Amino acid sequence: MGLSATWAAILLFLFFLSSPPPSSTVIAGGSGEAYVRPLPRKTLSLLSRPKRSSDPQQVHISLAGTQHMRITWVSDDEFSRSIVEYGTSPGEYTSSSQGESTFYKYLLYSSGKINHVVIGPLESNTVYFYRCGGQGPEFQFRTPPSEFPVTFSVVGDLGQTGWTKSTLDHISQCKYDVHLLPGDLSYADYQQHLWDSFGALVQPLASSRPWMVTEGNHEKESIVFFKSGFQAYNARWKMPYEESGSTSNLYYSFEVAGVHIIMLGSYADYDENSDQYAWLKTDLARIDRERTPWLLVLLHVPWYNSNWAHQGEGKSMMAAMEPLLYAAGVDIFIAGHVHAYERMDRVYHGGLDPCGPLHITIGDGGNREGLAQRFFHPKPEWSVFREASFGHGELKIVNSTHAIWSWHRNDDDESVKSDEVWINSLASTGCILENRPEYRKILMSP
């Protein structure tokens, strides 16, 4: 067998390895058990070529430290410039920034030129117009506000199906400032061209509002003896890990208005001797709850889960890190991975606790693997609402003490608000660290 035939055989094996079984339409369990879901939808095909090889493709933006934004795009022209021109009026670019570029090879696939350019300082709550590479179409984005209220759209496990498109259409209808995605983006699963089609699919939204993501299992794409994990993810979706003192793109933090948000890595080492654990302790100790009274954590694998899918996968990470997050007074904990929606009460150490985080699982963006249809019965005391349907969440932080969370089911092509709850910040209830000195030693210990 020749070399090319060998690689072809490897790719064929990986394709069948990553292909999911067909899904079917069933009745959801739990609180949504009366809802009958429509049939699954096919995977989308969005591969197309720009008019010029130097034109920007797959444009998306992300926060990159205080008053700065990272613009990322792909170009087929290796000689195109990594430059962004921008301003506050259409076609009038009063500032410009140069950045860096990278590319990667994955078996027989070679990526285009992946550009990352940080621009700023930027004014808050302001529309900017920008152009990538010195030519091509004009894009625009709005920076987040510097104070409350601030709104986040939230969804995990997106993929590239007709249901994904429906979810994205619904998100585009809400007035949000930042998008949060707790892992499993493209579902490329070794088929690298699907990273390109995913970039094209999300560009209309991801080029106009910052998308802040963390990795899931479908981003790993490792091959024993051939490839280490997360090569495509790290090259394409660079997050502000360096700006937040992290040494890995798999975990980082950032702030928006009065909210401190930590994106943890379910697939990076997390035990007490790990870099991620040390970084988390440092990051939590630096938080000023007067300046950022709200504290959110996102990761891929849920720690509390009443669905049969992925039971116990987060147990060891929870054992290592849950005391840290409880000591710091995390308000809301959001995960994906399980292809269903579930909202839990405030919980810690396996039981209800008014000073624990409110947990949410939202791995229901529209992925090709279908929905996790089986829940435990009876429902655990900490599980409030659960339903195996595709949809998205919206989190509006109204002020320093109150927020409102809502989940919107994809009902055919309509977005139906199916769950809603007001949330009080722990900073307003006496549960934060300063009022619980017995937990100070957990964060301050070497």
Side-chain angles (χ1 to χ4, degrees):
M1 183 182 291
L3 181 61
S4 60
T6 301
W7 287 125
I10 293 172
L11 285 172
L12 187 62
F13 169 74
L14 294 173
F15 173 77
F16 284 111
L17 184 67
S18 61
S19 295
S23 52
S24 59
T25 302
V26 300
I27 305 297
S31 300
E33 60 187 357
Y35 175 66
V36 180
R37 289 182 298 279
L39 293 171
R41 296 184 176 180
K42 295 181 180 180
T43 298
L44 301 175
S45 178
L46 294 166
L47 289 178
S48 62
R49 290 294 178 187
K51 294 180 180 179
R52 293 174 296 189
S53 62
S54 57
D55 281 351
Q57 308 167 52
Q58 307 170 48
V59 180
H60 65 263
I61 66 174
S62 55
L63 300 173
T66 305
Q67 295 184 297
H68 287 75
M69 197 78 72
R70 177 174 285 104
I71 315 295
T72 298
W73 75 96
V74 177
S75 172
D76 288 335
D77 182 359
E78 63 177 309
F79 300 107
S80 62
R81 295 187 297 163
S82 299
I83 186 172
V84 172
E85 301 162 291
Y86 61 100
T88 55
S89 298
E92 297 182 14
Y93 309 123
T94 56
S95 302
S96 66
S97 296
Q98 294 187 344
E100 60 185 10
S101 66
T102 187
F103 73 97
Y104 71 95
K105 293 181 179 293
Y106 192 96
L107 302 181
L108 302 179
Y109 174 90
S110 296
S111 76
K113 182 178 182 180
I114 303 169
N115 304 272
H116 301 289
V117 177
V118 175
I119 64 174
L122 306 172
E123 296 294 325
S124 62
N125 203 27
T126 301
V127 174
Y128 284 87
F129 301 85
Y130 66 102
R131 185 171 66 174
C132 305
Q135 60 183 32
E138 181 177 79
F139 299 89
Q140 68 180 68
F141 65 80
R142 178 181 291 276
T143 54
S146 59
E147 56 187 22
F148 302 123
V150 59
T151 300
F152 302 92
S153 61
V154 187
V155 72
D157 301 72
L158 262 180
Q160 304 179 57
T161 70
W163 284 116
T164 308
K165 180 63 165 58
S166 179
T167 298
L168 294 175
D169 288 344
H170 297 160
I171 290 173
S172 70
Q173 296 167 15
C174 79
K175 296 180 180 180
Y176 69 99
D177 301 298
V178 178
H179 181 69
L180 304 176
L181 203 168
D184 280 1
L185 283 69
S186 70
Y187 281 76
D189 290 329
Y190 307 101
Q191 303 171 72
Q192 295 302 296
H193 69 280
L194 293 181
W195 277 108
D196 296 316
S197 57
F198 179 78
L201 173 65
V202 302
Q203 176 179 286
L205 272 67
S207 63
S208 62
R209 295 292 187 275
W211 275 42
M212 310 305 292
V213 307
T214 189
E215 85 281 2
N217 54 302
H218 286 273
E219 276 73 67
K220 193 170 185 179
E221 300 182 309
S222 59
I223 305 175
V224 178
F225 304 126
F226 288 102
K227 287 291 180 183
S228 59
F230 306 106
Q231 184 180 15
Y233 172 79
N234 285 332
R236 295 172 180 269
W237 290 84
K238 185 175 183 181
M239 293 290 112
Y241 72 95
E242 294 168 316
E243 292 87 342
S244 60
S246 169
T247 58
S248 171
N249 193 49
L250 303 182
Y251 51 89
Y252 63 94
S253 68
F254 63 98
E255 292 184 353
V256 180
V259 188
H260 188 92
I261 301 174
I262 297 173
M263 310 291 275
L264 292 178
S266 294
Y267 302 96
D269 291 340
Y270 47 72
D271 61 52
E272 292 186 8
N273 298 316
S274 67
D275 289 342
Q276 181 173 199
Y277 187 93
W279 170 82
L280 177 60
K281 286 188 67 174
T282 300
D283 191 75
L284 291 173
R286 290 174 177 170
I287 297 173
D288 179 358
R289 296 304 280 265
E290 291 293 327
R291 186 167 55 87
T292 53
W294 287 90
L295 176 55
L296 276 57
V297 169
L298 284 84
L299 48 59
H300 189 58
V301 179
W303 293 356
Y304 291 88
N305 167 30
S306 71
N307 195 293
W308 282 87
H310 302 298
Q311 268 299 317
E313 290 185 19
K315 185 176 180 180
S316 58
M317 188 178 191
M318 181 174 75
M321 291 186 165
E322 188 180 33
L324 290 180
L325 302 186
Y326 184 73
V330 171
D331 291 284
I332 303 171
F333 183 107
I334 300 173
H337 201 36
V338 176
H339 299 166
Y341 168 71
E342 184 170 16
R343 174 172 61 84
M344 287 138 276
D345 209 331
R346 294 195 176 278
V347 62
Y348 174 64
H349 201 55
L352 294 173
D353 190 312
C355 292
L358 184 150
H359 284 250
I360 294 169
T361 298
I362 191 161
D364 59 352
N367 64 87
R368 60 178 170 77
E369 292 181 339
L371 292 159
Q373 304 152 352
R374 297 174 62 203
F375 289 101
F376 288 152
H377 293 281
K379 188 168 60 174
E381 63 174 354
W382 39 257
S383 180
V384 179
F385 185 101
R386 57 189 191 176
E387 181 177 308
S389 296
F390 294 125
H392 77 279
E394 298 175 17
L395 176 64
K396 182 175 183 179
I397 310 293
V398 179
N399 52 40
S400 63
T401 60
H402 289 82
I404 185 168
W405 164 265
S406 58
W407 176 68
H408 303 252
R409 174 204 298 146
N410 288 359
D411 191 348
D412 290 326
D413 289 313
E414 297 297 322
S415 176
V416 178
K417 185 188 295 184
S418 303
D419 183 36
E420 185 175 72
V421 62
W422 279 92
I423 304 169
N424 293 330
S425 68
L426 293 182
S428 66
T429 63
C431 283
I432 59 173
L433 180 64
E434 287 79 358
N435 296 319
R436 295 185 294 150
E438 66 273 21
Y439 292 104
R440 182 182 298 273
K441 61 182 180 181
I442 297 176
L443 292 181
M444 302 305 176
S445 62

